[in-house]
Amino acid sequence: MAQWLARAWSLPSDAPTAYWPAVRATTVNLLGLTVVLYVATVLGWHAVTHYRDLKERKVRAAELESLLHQAQLEALRSQLHPHFLFNTLHAIAELVHENPALAEQLILRLAELLRKVLQTPVRQEVPLAEEIEFIKGYLEIEQMRLGERLSVAWEVAPATLAARVPSLMLQPLVENAIQHGIAVLARPGRLSIRARREDGFLHVQVHDTGPGASAASAPNSNGNGSGHGIGLVNTASRLQRLYGERQRFELVNENGLTVNVRIPFVTDDSPAATSPAV
């Protein structure tokens, strides 16, 4: 435009009369278009910048919410370690004077179990096979303590062993079945642990032949409930936070107490990993 203006002003003064009004009109139009383009560019830049800043703020907010969510999950998970430890030590303490030899064996077995827990990396989810291996160690302690009063039956489909489950999910369910179901009976009791895959979900069931649970003591899907201690309530809360509406946690009185858990069936090789519900 500058070259055009230079050529225009270099023309002789005796240019046609209609020429100069046309030059002025063209110049004004060009300047107006330039201003419009400049304003549009500035507004566009501000819009893009505002959108980028807004998107970054949303990402940061989502990251903070995710961190808070993970912290809440870890707090729930970490509560299970002292809960399990204190209950087991209490059981051992009852045997110290009554059966010192058995108490010593229990302490040694507990030490092995705790060593395994401490050496295992902290993870919210583990393969079911790993969870079962841990619970078998816990059951060895309980069977040493209760003797013939406790028998255990396993019905775990091999196809379910790779499924990811919340770490320490089985332990509070099994502990509740023993403490509130079998240990309170004068007669022998039976504990059954089942796992199967159906319609894209993992179904886990823990059943005991004890007296069952009252409606007031059963935690609901939001983790509320009382009477059966922190174990079941904690587990229900973790499942809700991890899987949201895709999980189910229920207690059924049927020849004892049955705890049914349903979560999405996901393995480490699954195309889409299960993400915690936020």
Side-chain angles (χ1 to χ4, degrees):
M1 184 177 69
Q3 294 177 352
W4 181 86
L5 289 175
R7 289 197 301 270
W9 289 110
S10 64
L11 292 174
S13 57
D14 57 348
T17 306
Y19 175 76
W20 292 114
V23 169
R24 287 194 297 270
T26 302
T27 302
V28 170
N29 290 337
L30 288 175
L31 289 176
L33 179 61
T34 301
V35 171
V36 170
L37 290 176
Y38 173 77
V39 172
T41 301
V42 171
L43 292 177
W45 180 82
H46 280 290
V48 171
T49 302
H50 176 73
Y51 172 78
R52 185 173 60 245
D53 292 342
L54 181 62
K55 187 175 181 180
E56 290 177 354
R57 285 197 296 269
K58 288 183 177 179
V59 170
R60 286 196 297 269
E63 290 176 348
L64 290 174
E65 186 174 0
S66 177
L67 289 174
L68 175 60
H69 180 70
Q70 291 297 328
Q72 292 170 337
L73 280 172
E74 185 54 37
L76 288 170
R77 182 186 182 279
S78 63
Q79 289 176 17
L80 295 176
H81 284 101
H83 178 67
F84 152 69
L85 177 60
F86 294 153
N87 284 357
T88 306
L89 288 176
H90 178 72
I92 294 174
E94 294 178 351
L95 296 171
V96 169
H97 300 291
E98 179 182 342
N99 192 336
L102 178 58
E104 182 179 358
Q105 295 180 36
L106 289 174
I107 291 173
L108 293 175
R109 189 66 188 92
L110 176 61
E112 295 176 5
L113 197 61
L114 290 178
R115 186 181 301 110
K116 182 184 297 184
V117 171
L118 294 175
Q119 291 175 348
T120 302
V122 176
R123 291 170 292 171
Q124 283 294 345
E125 294 179 311
V126 298
L128 179 61
E130 185 175 324
E131 184 73 3
I132 288 176
E133 181 183 359
F134 174 80
I135 205 61
K136 283 183 176 179
Y138 171 75
L139 283 172
E140 286 181 16
I141 294 177
E142 291 296 340
Q143 286 180 309
M144 292 171 64
R145 182 173 70 92
L146 297 174
E148 296 181 354
R149 294 174 56 196
L150 170 63
S151 62
V152 181
W154 293 89
E155 299 178 27
V156 178
T160 65
L161 294 176
R164 282 168 32 183
V165 300
S167 61
L168 292 181
M169 180 187 77
L170 282 178
Q171 193 278 326
L173 306 185
V174 170
E175 179 182 357
N176 180 80
I178 294 175
Q179 300 296 332
H180 299 281
I182 296 173
V184 299
L185 300 176
R187 56 180 173 81
R190 184 178 181 85
L191 173 68
S192 300
I193 301 173
R194 307 181 180 95
R196 59 184 172 86
R197 179 181 184 179
E198 182 178 331
D199 298 330
F201 288 92
L202 173 68
H203 296 260
V204 177
Q205 186 180 84
V206 177
H207 173 75
D208 67 77
T209 56
S214 64
S217 67
N220 55 32
S221 59
N222 294 323
N224 299 320
S226 60
H228 276 258
I230 190 176
L232 295 186
V233 174
N234 192 305
T235 300
S237 297
R238 291 182 69 205
L239 292 175
Q240 175 64 31
R241 290 185 178 278
L242 278 169
Y243 309 109
E245 297 303 319
R246 296 173 295 170
Q247 59 81 35
R248 186 181 68 192
F249 182 89
E250 62 179 3
L251 273 61
V252 179
N253 286 312
E254 183 179 1
N255 298 322
L257 177 65
T258 300
V259 181
N260 292 315
V261 174
R262 188 198 71 180
I263 60 176
F265 189 97
V266 179
T267 68
D268 290 335
D269 297 328
S270 297
T274 302
S275 58
V278 177

PDB file of all heavy atoms in Angstrom, residues 135 138-139 149-154 173-178 182 189-194 205-209 257:
ATOM      1  N   ILE A 135      -4.477 -63.362  51.259  1.00  0.00           N
ATOM      2  CA  ILE A 135      -5.538 -63.793  52.177  1.00  0.00           C
ATOM      3  C   ILE A 135      -5.315 -65.220  52.639  1.00  0.00           C
ATOM      4  O   ILE A 135      -5.733 -65.602  53.741  1.00  0.00           O
ATOM      5  CB  ILE A 135      -6.926 -63.626  51.511  1.00  0.00           C
ATOM      6  CG1 ILE A 135      -8.011 -63.470  52.586  1.00  0.00           C
ATOM      7  CG2 ILE A 135      -7.263 -64.781  50.619  1.00  0.00           C
ATOM      8  CD1 ILE A 135      -7.833 -62.273  53.476  1.00  0.00           C
ATOM      9  N   TYR A 138      -3.271 -64.942  55.670  1.00  0.00           N
ATOM     10  CA  TYR A 138      -4.097 -64.529  56.809  1.00  0.00           C
ATOM     11  C   TYR A 138      -4.934 -65.689  57.326  1.00  0.00           C
ATOM     12  O   TYR A 138      -5.075 -65.895  58.538  1.00  0.00           O
ATOM     13  CB  TYR A 138      -4.993 -63.363  56.399  1.00  0.00           C
ATOM     14  CG  TYR A 138      -6.031 -63.002  57.428  1.00  0.00           C
ATOM     15  CD1 TYR A 138      -5.680 -62.313  58.586  1.00  0.00           C
ATOM     16  CD2 TYR A 138      -7.366 -63.354  57.255  1.00  0.00           C
ATOM     17  CE1 TYR A 138      -6.627 -61.980  59.540  1.00  0.00           C
ATOM     18  CE2 TYR A 138      -8.322 -63.030  58.197  1.00  0.00           C
ATOM     19  CZ  TYR A 138      -7.944 -62.338  59.339  1.00  0.00           C
ATOM     20  OH  TYR A 138      -8.893 -62.036  60.277  1.00  0.00           O
ATOM     21  N   LEU A 139      -5.482 -66.492  56.410  1.00  0.00           N
ATOM     22  CA  LEU A 139      -6.306 -67.623  56.819  1.00  0.00           C
ATOM     23  C   LEU A 139      -5.496 -68.690  57.543  1.00  0.00           C
ATOM     24  O   LEU A 139      -6.025 -69.391  58.413  1.00  0.00           O
ATOM     25  CB  LEU A 139      -7.006 -68.221  55.593  1.00  0.00           C
ATOM     26  CG  LEU A 139      -8.221 -67.442  55.080  1.00  0.00           C
ATOM     27  CD1 LEU A 139      -8.706 -68.014  53.759  1.00  0.00           C
ATOM     28  CD2 LEU A 139      -9.333 -67.447  56.109  1.00  0.00           C
ATOM     29  N   ARG A 149     -12.533 -75.519  64.160  1.00  0.00           N
ATOM     30  CA  ARG A 149     -13.732 -74.684  64.136  1.00  0.00           C
ATOM     31  C   ARG A 149     -13.856 -73.911  62.824  1.00  0.00           C
ATOM     32  O   ARG A 149     -14.918 -73.353  62.530  1.00  0.00           O
ATOM     33  CB  ARG A 149     -13.725 -73.715  65.308  1.00  0.00           C
ATOM     34  CG  ARG A 149     -13.834 -74.395  66.671  1.00  0.00           C
ATOM     35  CD  ARG A 149     -13.669 -73.370  67.775  1.00  0.00           C
ATOM     36  NE  ARG A 149     -14.637 -72.281  67.643  1.00  0.00           N
ATOM     37  CZ  ARG A 149     -14.524 -71.115  68.278  1.00  0.00           C
ATOM     38  NH1 ARG A 149     -13.483 -70.885  69.070  1.00  0.00           N
ATOM     39  NH2 ARG A 149     -15.457 -70.182  68.129  1.00  0.00           N
ATOM     40  N   LEU A 150     -12.777 -73.852  62.052  1.00  0.00           N
ATOM     41  CA  LEU A 150     -12.798 -73.094  60.796  1.00  0.00           C
ATOM     42  C   LEU A 150     -12.350 -73.976  59.641  1.00  0.00           C
ATOM     43  O   LEU A 150     -11.248 -74.520  59.649  1.00  0.00           O
ATOM     44  CB  LEU A 150     -11.867 -71.872  60.881  1.00  0.00           C
ATOM     45  CG  LEU A 150     -11.607 -71.113  59.568  1.00  0.00           C
ATOM     46  CD1 LEU A 150     -12.906 -70.521  59.027  1.00  0.00           C
ATOM     47  CD2 LEU A 150     -10.556 -70.013  59.786  1.00  0.00           C
ATOM     48  N   SER A 151     -13.220 -74.108  58.654  1.00  0.00           N
ATOM     49  CA  SER A 151     -12.854 -74.761  57.396  1.00  0.00           C
ATOM     50  C   SER A 151     -13.087 -73.781  56.260  1.00  0.00           C
ATOM     51  O   SER A 151     -13.984 -72.931  56.328  1.00  0.00           O
ATOM     52  CB  SER A 151     -13.687 -76.035  57.179  1.00  0.00           C
ATOM     53  OG  SER A 151     -15.069 -75.718  57.087  1.00  0.00           O
ATOM     54  N   VAL A 152     -12.257 -73.888  55.223  1.00  0.00           N
ATOM     55  CA  VAL A 152     -12.291 -72.915  54.123  1.00  0.00           C
ATOM     56  C   VAL A 152     -12.500 -73.651  52.805  1.00  0.00           C
ATOM     57  O   VAL A 152     -11.848 -74.672  52.545  1.00  0.00           O
ATOM     58  CB  VAL A 152     -10.995 -72.092  54.066  1.00  0.00           C
ATOM     59  CG1 VAL A 152     -11.065 -71.071  52.936  1.00  0.00           C
ATOM     60  CG2 VAL A 152     -10.746 -71.397  55.397  1.00  0.00           C
ATOM     61  N   ALA A 153     -13.402 -73.136  51.984  1.00  0.00           N
ATOM     62  CA  ALA A 153     -13.659 -73.678  50.652  1.00  0.00           C
ATOM     63  C   ALA A 153     -13.402 -72.588  49.619  1.00  0.00           C
ATOM     64  O   ALA A 153     -13.874 -71.450  49.779  1.00  0.00           O
ATOM     65  CB  ALA A 153     -15.086 -74.192  50.544  1.00  0.00           C
ATOM     66  N   TRP A 154     -12.664 -72.950  48.570  1.00  0.00           N
ATOM     67  CA  TRP A 154     -12.347 -72.003  47.501  1.00  0.00           C
ATOM     68  C   TRP A 154     -13.056 -72.424  46.219  1.00  0.00           C
ATOM     69  O   TRP A 154     -12.994 -73.578  45.814  1.00  0.00           O
ATOM     70  CB  TRP A 154     -10.842 -71.957  47.242  1.00  0.00           C
ATOM     71  CG  TRP A 154     -10.045 -71.388  48.370  1.00  0.00           C
ATOM     72  CD1 TRP A 154      -9.519 -72.062  49.440  1.00  0.00           C
ATOM     73  CD2 TRP A 154      -9.684 -70.017  48.545  1.00  0.00           C
ATOM     74  NE1 TRP A 154      -8.856 -71.204  50.261  1.00  0.00           N
ATOM     75  CE2 TRP A 154      -8.927 -69.934  49.744  1.00  0.00           C
ATOM     76  CE3 TRP A 154      -9.909 -68.850  47.811  1.00  0.00           C
ATOM     77  CZ2 TRP A 154      -8.408 -68.745  50.218  1.00  0.00           C
ATOM     78  CZ3 TRP A 154      -9.386 -67.661  48.283  1.00  0.00           C
ATOM     79  CH2 TRP A 154      -8.645 -67.614  49.468  1.00  0.00           C
ATOM     80  N   LEU A 173     -13.290 -58.552  54.361  1.00  0.00           N
ATOM     81  CA  LEU A 173     -14.478 -59.389  54.174  1.00  0.00           C
ATOM     82  C   LEU A 173     -14.302 -60.730  54.875  1.00  0.00           C
ATOM     83  O   LEU A 173     -15.216 -61.220  55.550  1.00  0.00           O
ATOM     84  CB  LEU A 173     -14.749 -59.609  52.683  1.00  0.00           C
ATOM     85  CG  LEU A 173     -14.865 -58.360  51.795  1.00  0.00           C
ATOM     86  CD1 LEU A 173     -15.266 -58.761  50.380  1.00  0.00           C
ATOM     87  CD2 LEU A 173     -15.851 -57.364  52.373  1.00  0.00           C
ATOM     88  N   VAL A 174     -13.118 -61.315  54.704  1.00  0.00           N
ATOM     89  CA  VAL A 174     -12.831 -62.601  55.347  1.00  0.00           C
ATOM     90  C   VAL A 174     -12.735 -62.428  56.854  1.00  0.00           C
ATOM     91  O   VAL A 174     -13.255 -63.242  57.633  1.00  0.00           O
ATOM     92  CB  VAL A 174     -11.533 -63.194  54.771  1.00  0.00           C
ATOM     93  CG1 VAL A 174     -11.079 -64.406  55.582  1.00  0.00           C
ATOM     94  CG2 VAL A 174     -11.733 -63.584  53.315  1.00  0.00           C
ATOM     95  N   GLU A 175     -12.092 -61.346  57.282  1.00  0.00           N
ATOM     96  CA  GLU A 175     -11.961 -61.104  58.724  1.00  0.00           C
ATOM     97  C   GLU A 175     -13.342 -60.922  59.367  1.00  0.00           C
ATOM     98  O   GLU A 175     -13.610 -61.456  60.454  1.00  0.00           O
ATOM     99  CB  GLU A 175     -11.109 -59.865  58.978  1.00  0.00           C
ATOM    100  CG  GLU A 175     -10.951 -59.533  60.450  1.00  0.00           C
ATOM    101  CD  GLU A 175     -10.138 -58.281  60.683  1.00  0.00           C
ATOM    102  OE1 GLU A 175      -9.649 -57.691  59.704  1.00  0.00           O
ATOM    103  OE2 GLU A 175      -9.992 -57.883  61.852  1.00  0.00           O
ATOM    104  N   ASN A 176     -14.212 -60.187  58.704  1.00  0.00           N
ATOM    105  CA  ASN A 176     -15.564 -60.001  59.232  1.00  0.00           C
ATOM    106  C   ASN A 176     -16.299 -61.328  59.337  1.00  0.00           C
ATOM    107  O   ASN A 176     -16.996 -61.591  60.329  1.00  0.00           O
ATOM    108  CB  ASN A 176     -16.344 -59.041  58.328  1.00  0.00           C
ATOM    109  CG  ASN A 176     -17.754 -58.800  58.827  1.00  0.00           C
ATOM    110  OD1 ASN A 176     -17.985 -58.015  59.730  1.00  0.00           O
ATOM    111  ND2 ASN A 176     -18.714 -59.508  58.242  1.00  0.00           N
ATOM    112  N   ALA A 177     -16.154 -62.181  58.308  1.00  0.00           N
ATOM    113  CA  ALA A 177     -16.825 -63.480  58.317  1.00  0.00           C
ATOM    114  C   ALA A 177     -16.339 -64.338  59.480  1.00  0.00           C
ATOM    115  O   ALA A 177     -17.130 -65.053  60.111  1.00  0.00           O
ATOM    116  CB  ALA A 177     -16.585 -64.200  56.986  1.00  0.00           C
ATOM    117  N   ILE A 178     -15.043 -64.258  59.777  1.00  0.00           N
ATOM    118  CA  ILE A 178     -14.498 -65.080  60.860  1.00  0.00           C
ATOM    119  C   ILE A 178     -14.850 -64.499  62.226  1.00  0.00           C
ATOM    120  O   ILE A 178     -15.339 -65.215  63.111  1.00  0.00           O
ATOM    121  CB  ILE A 178     -12.973 -65.210  60.700  1.00  0.00           C
ATOM    122  CG1 ILE A 178     -12.646 -66.008  59.430  1.00  0.00           C
ATOM    123  CG2 ILE A 178     -12.354 -65.887  61.927  1.00  0.00           C
ATOM    124  CD1 ILE A 178     -11.173 -66.086  59.110  1.00  0.00           C
ATOM    125  N   ILE A 182     -17.991 -66.949  62.314  1.00  0.00           N
ATOM    126  CA  ILE A 182     -17.552 -68.275  62.732  1.00  0.00           C
ATOM    127  C   ILE A 182     -17.031 -68.299  64.162  1.00  0.00           C
ATOM    128  O   ILE A 182     -17.323 -69.226  64.933  1.00  0.00           O
ATOM    129  CB  ILE A 182     -16.491 -68.798  61.747  1.00  0.00           C
ATOM    130  CG1 ILE A 182     -17.135 -68.968  60.366  1.00  0.00           C
ATOM    131  CG2 ILE A 182     -15.885 -70.113  62.225  1.00  0.00           C
ATOM    132  CD1 ILE A 182     -16.182 -69.313  59.267  1.00  0.00           C
ATOM    133  N   GLY A 189     -17.508 -73.871  61.862  1.00  0.00           N
ATOM    134  CA  GLY A 189     -18.092 -73.031  60.813  1.00  0.00           C
ATOM    135  C   GLY A 189     -17.328 -73.186  59.513  1.00  0.00           C
ATOM    136  O   GLY A 189     -16.193 -73.668  59.487  1.00  0.00           O
ATOM    137  N   ARG A 190     -17.951 -72.723  58.450  1.00  0.00           N
ATOM    138  CA  ARG A 190     -17.359 -72.874  57.115  1.00  0.00           C
ATOM    139  C   ARG A 190     -17.313 -71.511  56.421  1.00  0.00           C
ATOM    140  O   ARG A 190     -18.291 -70.762  56.419  1.00  0.00           O
ATOM    141  CB  ARG A 190     -18.174 -73.863  56.276  1.00  0.00           C
ATOM    142  CG  ARG A 190     -17.591 -74.166  54.892  1.00  0.00           C
ATOM    143  CD  ARG A 190     -18.481 -75.193  54.185  1.00  0.00           C
ATOM    144  NE  ARG A 190     -17.989 -75.554  52.872  1.00  0.00           N
ATOM    145  CZ  ARG A 190     -17.082 -76.494  52.640  1.00  0.00           C
ATOM    146  NH1 ARG A 190     -16.569 -77.169  53.676  1.00  0.00           N
ATOM    147  NH2 ARG A 190     -16.685 -76.782  51.413  1.00  0.00           N
ATOM    148  N   LEU A 191     -16.173 -71.237  55.825  1.00  0.00           N
ATOM    149  CA  LEU A 191     -15.977 -70.003  55.070  1.00  0.00           C
ATOM    150  C   LEU A 191     -15.797 -70.367  53.600  1.00  0.00           C
ATOM    151  O   LEU A 191     -14.967 -71.211  53.263  1.00  0.00           O
ATOM    152  CB  LEU A 191     -14.737 -69.259  55.572  1.00  0.00           C
ATOM    153  CG  LEU A 191     -14.291 -68.035  54.768  1.00  0.00           C
ATOM    154  CD1 LEU A 191     -15.301 -66.910  54.901  1.00  0.00           C
ATOM    155  CD2 LEU A 191     -12.914 -67.574  55.226  1.00  0.00           C
ATOM    156  N   SER A 192     -16.580 -69.742  52.747  1.00  0.00           N
ATOM    157  CA  SER A 192     -16.500 -69.998  51.307  1.00  0.00           C
ATOM    158  C   SER A 192     -16.127 -68.711  50.580  1.00  0.00           C
ATOM    159  O   SER A 192     -16.720 -67.657  50.831  1.00  0.00           O
ATOM    160  CB  SER A 192     -17.834 -70.528  50.774  1.00  0.00           C
ATOM    161  OG  SER A 192     -18.194 -71.739  51.413  1.00  0.00           O
ATOM    162  N   ILE A 193     -15.152 -68.821  49.681  1.00  0.00           N
ATOM    163  CA  ILE A 193     -14.706 -67.676  48.887  1.00  0.00           C
ATOM    164  C   ILE A 193     -14.848 -68.048  47.418  1.00  0.00           C
ATOM    165  O   ILE A 193     -14.252 -69.026  46.951  1.00  0.00           O
ATOM    166  CB  ILE A 193     -13.251 -67.301  49.209  1.00  0.00           C
ATOM    167  CG1 ILE A 193     -13.113 -66.972  50.701  1.00  0.00           C
ATOM    168  CG2 ILE A 193     -12.797 -66.116  48.358  1.00  0.00           C
ATOM    169  CD1 ILE A 193     -11.688 -66.744  51.144  1.00  0.00           C
ATOM    170  N   ARG A 194     -15.632 -67.267  46.690  1.00  0.00           N
ATOM    171  CA  ARG A 194     -15.929 -67.580  45.288  1.00  0.00           C
ATOM    172  C   ARG A 194     -15.613 -66.376  44.415  1.00  0.00           C
ATOM    173  O   ARG A 194     -15.744 -65.227  44.843  1.00  0.00           O
ATOM    174  CB  ARG A 194     -17.397 -67.972  45.122  1.00  0.00           C
ATOM    175  CG  ARG A 194     -17.862 -69.091  46.048  1.00  0.00           C
ATOM    176  CD  ARG A 194     -19.327 -69.436  45.810  1.00  0.00           C
ATOM    177  NE  ARG A 194     -19.789 -70.504  46.694  1.00  0.00           N
ATOM    178  CZ  ARG A 194     -20.414 -70.307  47.854  1.00  0.00           C
ATOM    179  NH1 ARG A 194     -20.672 -69.057  48.249  1.00  0.00           N
ATOM    180  NH2 ARG A 194     -20.797 -71.322  48.590  1.00  0.00           N
ATOM    181  N   GLN A 205     -17.585 -63.379  46.067  1.00  0.00           N
ATOM    182  CA  GLN A 205     -18.533 -63.684  47.132  1.00  0.00           C
ATOM    183  C   GLN A 205     -17.803 -64.314  48.310  1.00  0.00           C
ATOM    184  O   GLN A 205     -16.988 -65.224  48.138  1.00  0.00           O
ATOM    185  CB  GLN A 205     -19.603 -64.651  46.623  1.00  0.00           C
ATOM    186  CG  GLN A 205     -20.719 -64.939  47.603  1.00  0.00           C
ATOM    187  CD  GLN A 205     -21.739 -65.911  47.017  1.00  0.00           C
ATOM    188  OE1 GLN A 205     -21.541 -67.116  47.076  1.00  0.00           O
ATOM    189  NE2 GLN A 205     -22.807 -65.372  46.445  1.00  0.00           N
ATOM    190  N   VAL A 206     -18.072 -63.802  49.501  1.00  0.00           N
ATOM    191  CA  VAL A 206     -17.529 -64.357  50.743  1.00  0.00           C
ATOM    192  C   VAL A 206     -18.711 -64.745  51.623  1.00  0.00           C
ATOM    193  O   VAL A 206     -19.528 -63.896  51.984  1.00  0.00           O
ATOM    194  CB  VAL A 206     -16.622 -63.344  51.469  1.00  0.00           C
ATOM    195  CG1 VAL A 206     -16.139 -63.918  52.800  1.00  0.00           C
ATOM    196  CG2 VAL A 206     -15.428 -62.974  50.589  1.00  0.00           C
ATOM    197  N   HIS A 207     -18.800 -66.018  51.955  1.00  0.00           N
ATOM    198  CA  HIS A 207     -19.940 -66.533  52.715  1.00  0.00           C
ATOM    199  C   HIS A 207     -19.460 -67.251  53.965  1.00  0.00           C
ATOM    200  O   HIS A 207     -18.473 -67.986  53.934  1.00  0.00           O
ATOM    201  CB  HIS A 207     -20.761 -67.497  51.852  1.00  0.00           C
ATOM    202  CG  HIS A 207     -21.844 -68.198  52.617  1.00  0.00           C
ATOM    203  ND1 HIS A 207     -23.016 -67.569  52.998  1.00  0.00           N
ATOM    204  CD2 HIS A 207     -21.927 -69.473  53.101  1.00  0.00           C
ATOM    205  CE1 HIS A 207     -23.776 -68.427  53.662  1.00  0.00           C
ATOM    206  NE2 HIS A 207     -23.145 -69.582  53.742  1.00  0.00           N
ATOM    207  N   ASP A 208     -20.148 -67.021  55.074  1.00  0.00           N
ATOM    208  CA  ASP A 208     -19.862 -67.754  56.302  1.00  0.00           C
ATOM    209  C   ASP A 208     -21.155 -68.362  56.836  1.00  0.00           C
ATOM    210  O   ASP A 208     -22.247 -67.899  56.515  1.00  0.00           O
ATOM    211  CB  ASP A 208     -19.223 -66.845  57.356  1.00  0.00           C
ATOM    212  CG  ASP A 208     -20.184 -65.763  57.857  1.00  0.00           C
ATOM    213  OD1 ASP A 208     -21.068 -66.089  58.683  1.00  0.00           O
ATOM    214  OD2 ASP A 208     -20.043 -64.595  57.437  1.00  0.00           O
ATOM    215  N   THR A 209     -21.007 -69.374  57.639  1.00  0.00           N
ATOM    216  CA  THR A 209     -22.174 -70.086  58.181  1.00  0.00           C
ATOM    217  C   THR A 209     -22.520 -69.601  59.582  1.00  0.00           C
ATOM    218  O   THR A 209     -23.039 -70.346  60.397  1.00  0.00           O
ATOM    219  CB  THR A 209     -21.906 -71.598  58.204  1.00  0.00           C
ATOM    220  OG1 THR A 209     -20.696 -71.851  58.959  1.00  0.00           O
ATOM    221  CG2 THR A 209     -21.733 -72.152  56.802  1.00  0.00           C
ATOM    222  N   LEU A 257     -24.036 -65.280  56.569  1.00  0.00           N
ATOM    223  CA  LEU A 257     -23.895 -63.979  55.904  1.00  0.00           C
ATOM    224  C   LEU A 257     -23.108 -64.152  54.611  1.00  0.00           C
ATOM    225  O   LEU A 257     -22.051 -64.771  54.588  1.00  0.00           O
ATOM    226  CB  LEU A 257     -23.175 -62.981  56.814  1.00  0.00           C
ATOM    227  CG  LEU A 257     -22.916 -61.600  56.194  1.00  0.00           C
ATOM    228  CD1 LEU A 257     -24.234 -60.886  55.911  1.00  0.00           C
ATOM    229  CD2 LEU A 257     -22.034 -60.752  57.102  1.00  0.00           C
TER     230      LEU A 257
END
